[in-house]
Amino acid sequence: MAITRFAPSPTGYLHIGGLRTALYSYLWAKKTNGEFKLRIEDTDQARNSEDAVKAILEAFEWVGMHSDSQIEYQSKRTDIYKKYIDQLLDEGKAYRCYMSREELDALREKQMAAKITTHYDGTWRPEDGKELPSIPEGVEPVIRIKAPKDEIIKFDDGIKGKMRFTADQVDDFVIARANGMPTYNFVVAIDDALMGMTDVLRGDDHLSNTPKQIVVYKLLGFDIPKFYHIPMINNPSGKKLSKRDGAMDVMQYKRDGYLPEALLNFLVRLGWSHGDQEIFSMDEMLELFDPSNINKSASAYNTEKLNWLNAHYIKNVSNDRLAKELEYHGCNIHGHDKKEMVLDLCKERVNTLVELKDGIENILNVPTSYDKKGSKKFIKEGTIDMLRSYIELLKNSDQELHLACDIEAITKPFIVENGLKFPQLFQPIRIALTGGTQAPSVYDIVAILGVDETIKRIETAISKNFDL
C-alpha cells in the first residue's frame, strides 16, 4: 500500500509537468489501495499567491484527482518544524551559525578562485576539542544541521537505479534562516515523514535535494521513503518546455477546450508506456501503471498527439456531456431540438471544444456577412437563378424533409437535371447558410436548420447579392 503526495508551491499556477507528477503519484497510490495526499508548500510568504492556491485546487477538481485526506498547508505547521529544530539543537545534531552574509560571500569567492566546489567550511560547527569564534554582536544566527562528514549517502531510485552522494555534496546546510523560518529540504522531510509517505514521486530536478533530506530523516530517526525521480518534459527540440510549447497553467487547457480525460491520457504517456497502446481510460491507467516503468530519459511534448487524443474523447463521450462542457465556453444548446444532430455532425470535425463551439455557432447563427473570396469564386452568372430554382424545389417538395438523407434524395436529381457539378450548387448554399465555404455537408446543415430557415437564409443572401 503506497502513500504518495503532490506538494506544489503556490508561487505560480499549476503547470503541465506538475500535473503529470501528481498523476503518477495518484495512480500509484490508488493502484495499491493506498492514499494520495495534497500538500501546499506555502512557507515563502513573499512569493505566495492566494490566486495560485485557488488555481491549483481548481485544477485538481477539474481533473478529478482528489486528496484522500485534509489538504495540508506548511504555513500552518511552523510549530511542528520549530519542535524538531529545537530537538536537533538539544541533541547536538544542529547548531547556530553566526557567519555573516559578507563572510559567506567571501568564502564562496575564495573557493571559486581555488576551483573547488563551494561549500560551508564548518566555522561554527561544534566538535570535540574545537574552540568556536566569539559570537558577534548584531548577527542573528541561522541553524545548520550537522551532516555526516564521511558517510556516503546511498539510495535506490525507482527510476534511475542506485544513487550515491558523498558527504561534500551535502555539507552542513541551513535548516532555519535567521528569521526563524525553516528551509525547504528540512520541512519537506518532516512533512513527508509525519504524513506517512512511503513513496515520493517528483521531478528529477529534485534529485540533488534527496541526500539532504535523507540526512534529516536519519538524524530524526524517521523511515526513509522510496524515491522516484521523474525526467523532465522537453519541447520537440529537446529543450526546456516553454509556455509556447505547452508549459502553461493547467486551467488554460480547459479554457482552450481540452477534456480532462484527454489531458490525463496525454500526460500518462509522456514518460510511461504499455506496449503500443495510446488510449487509456482511468481504469486502465490504474490497472497498468507502475512507476518503475517510467522512462529514464526526458519525454517530448507533442501538441499533435494531444489534439488527436482530445478529438478521440470528444467523439466518444456522450452528447449530454458535450453539451454540458460547451456551457463553460458560452455555448448553450441544451434546448435545441436538433441538439443530437448538430453535435453528431460537428464533433467529427474538431480537435477541441472551442472548435466544436465555433462549428456549432457557424451553423446555428445567422451569418452577418459573407466570405468575399468565396463569393467571388462561386457566385457566377446564373447562380442566383439556380438558387431560386432550388428554393422552389424545397418549397414544393411533397416529401418529408427532416433528415439529411431526405434532402439528398431531392437534391441529387436537381443537380443532374440542371447539369451541375456539386460545388456549383453546394458552395453558394454553404456561403448563404453559414457565411463561408468551410462547413459540413449541405444535406446535414439543411436538416439541422430546417427547410424554412434554409430558404430564409438563401433569400437573404440573394437580396444582399452575397456582399459582392
Side-chain angles (χ1 to χ4, degrees):
M1 184 176 78
I3 300 175
T4 68
R5 51 72 164 176
F6 181 65
S9 298
T11 54
Y13 300 110
L14 177 62
H15 291 141
I16 204 74
L19 183 60
R20 182 189 64 164
T21 299
L23 173 62
Y24 286 171
S25 299
Y26 177 87
L27 292 175
W28 187 228
K30 296 299 181 181
K31 177 177 181 176
T32 59
N33 296 314
E35 293 181 54
F36 170 73
K37 299 182 179 183
L38 184 61
R39 181 175 72 234
I40 305 297
E41 299 191 336
D42 57 349
T43 54
D44 190 343
Q45 298 299 319
R47 299 176 61 215
N48 288 339
S49 163
E50 278 298 318
D51 287 341
V53 174
K54 291 177 183 176
I56 289 168
L57 299 181
E58 184 183 16
F60 276 92
E61 182 68 28
W62 178 52
V63 299
M65 292 185 343
H66 304 288
S67 178
D68 290 319
S69 62
Q70 179 180 340
I71 297 172
E72 296 283 357
Y73 292 82
Q74 284 186 337
S75 59
K76 298 178 181 179
R77 297 167 61 85
T78 52
D79 288 345
I80 297 173
Y81 309 138
K82 186 178 185 306
K83 167 191 166 187
Y84 285 103
I85 289 170
D86 290 343
Q87 177 182 325
L88 290 175
L89 286 170
D90 291 343
E91 294 174 352
K93 297 174 180 176
Y95 60 93
R96 292 176 176 85
C97 171
Y98 292 88
M99 185 174 279
S100 67
R101 170 54 58 189
E102 292 75 19
E103 289 175 313
L104 282 169
D105 289 343
L107 174 62
R108 185 175 293 107
E109 288 179 12
K110 181 179 178 181
Q111 291 170 340
M112 290 174 66
K115 297 184 178 179
I116 61 176
T117 303
T118 57
H119 62 281
Y120 175 65
D121 65 358
T123 297
W124 288 92
R125 177 179 172 124
E127 293 180 293
D128 291 342
K130 177 181 178 180
E131 184 178 346
L132 297 178
S134 299
I135 296 176
E137 292 184 6
V139 177
E140 291 294 331
V142 298
I143 309 298
R144 290 184 180 273
I145 202 162
K146 286 185 76 172
K149 276 192 168 183
D150 303 314
E151 180 182 336
I152 294 175
I153 299 171
K154 303 176 182 178
F155 64 94
D156 286 331
D157 188 280
I159 298 171
K160 297 180 175 297
K162 293 185 181 299
M163 305 303 298
R164 184 179 183 274
F165 293 84
T166 56
D168 63 335
Q169 294 175 281
V170 179
D171 74 25
D172 290 359
F173 58 93
V174 175
I175 60 173
R177 300 181 182 90
N179 62 4
M181 186 61 68
T183 59
Y184 171 79
N185 282 309
F186 184 70
V187 298
V188 166
I190 299 293
D191 287 338
D192 284 346
L194 297 184
M195 292 173 68
M197 294 301 119
T198 62
D199 300 75
V200 172
L201 290 80
R202 58 191 179 193
D204 63 5
D205 54 331
H206 285 283
L207 183 61
S208 62
N209 292 324
T210 304
K212 295 181 179 181
Q213 292 166 20
I214 288 176
V215 168
V216 177
Y217 280 109
K218 287 184 174 181
L219 290 181
L220 288 172
F222 292 142
D223 292 335
I224 300 173
K226 177 75 172 180
F227 292 102
Y228 299 82
H229 288 93
I230 305 165
M232 296 290 99
I233 301 172
N234 290 335
N235 69 13
S237 301
K239 297 180 180 179
K240 183 179 179 181
L241 202 63
S242 67
K243 285 187 177 181
R244 181 185 302 174
D245 304 312
M248 54 193 176
D249 171 16
V250 165
M251 294 309 292
Q252 185 62 45
Y253 285 88
K254 180 177 183 180
R255 292 188 284 273
D256 288 347
Y258 292 95
L259 290 170
E261 50 264 67
L263 185 58
L264 294 181
N265 190 155
F266 173 68
L267 289 177
V268 80
R269 285 286 288 108
L270 275 179
W272 173 85
S273 62
H274 179 72
D276 295 328
Q277 185 171 342
E278 293 289 352
I279 296 170
F280 294 87
S281 66
M282 179 55 75
D283 286 343
E284 288 175 312
M285 292 184 209
L286 290 169
E287 176 188 351
L288 299 170
F289 180 77
D290 187 322
S292 62
N293 293 329
I294 293 173
N295 296 341
K296 291 180 172 61
S297 56
S299 53
Y301 189 95
N302 186 323
T303 301
E304 290 75 19
K305 175 68 70 65
L306 174 58
N307 287 338
W308 176 78
L309 283 167
N310 203 51
H312 167 82
Y313 282 98
I314 286 174
K315 290 180 180 72
N316 286 279
V317 300
S318 71
N319 284 343
D320 285 343
R321 164 78 184 283
L322 286 179
K324 182 66 177 175
E325 294 284 351
L326 285 168
E327 287 181 31
Y328 174 84
H329 298 281
C331 178
N332 192 334
I333 61 168
H334 281 293
H336 197 282
D337 61 346
K338 299 288 181 64
K339 179 185 81 172
E340 296 293 327
M341 190 181 293
V342 72
L343 284 171
D344 284 342
L345 175 64
C346 293
K347 70 184 182 183
E348 294 297 322
R349 301 164 55 88
V350 302
N351 290 325
T352 69
L353 294 169
V354 172
E355 292 177 5
L356 180 59
K357 171 200 172 184
D358 292 343
I360 291 169
E361 292 180 344
N362 191 43
I363 293 173
L364 298 185
N365 293 348
V366 177
T368 56
S369 62
Y370 305 99
D371 176 57
K372 291 189 180 297
K373 185 176 179 180
S375 296
K376 287 180 180 179
K377 181 176 181 180
F378 293 106
I379 308 304
K380 305 293 186 182
E381 182 179 353
T383 298
I384 301 300
D385 289 339
M386 173 192 68
L387 291 175
R388 289 194 173 115
S389 297
Y390 188 69
I391 288 172
E392 291 303 312
L393 175 69
L394 294 176
K395 284 181 178 179
N396 299 321
S397 174
D398 55 4
Q399 301 179 37
E400 295 288 334
L401 301 178
H402 299 306
L403 303 175
C405 58
D406 301 330
I407 311 301
E408 182 179 7
I410 67 167
T411 302
K412 280 190 171 180
F414 178 85
I415 291 172
V416 173
E417 290 166 9
N418 288 274
L420 301 172
K421 295 180 179 179
F422 283 90
Q424 289 177 286
L425 175 64
F426 289 151
Q427 290 294 51
I429 292 177
R430 281 196 182 93
I431 296 170
L433 299 184
T434 68
T437 59
Q438 301 300 313
S441 161
V442 166
Y443 303 139
D444 290 302
I445 298 174
V446 174
I448 289 168
L449 295 177
V451 169
D452 291 345
E453 178 64 17
T454 296
I455 292 171
K456 182 179 178 181
R457 291 191 186 188
I458 296 175
E459 288 178 337
T460 298
I462 290 172
S463 71
K464 293 183 177 181
N465 197 30
F466 289 88
D467 291 339
L468 287 172

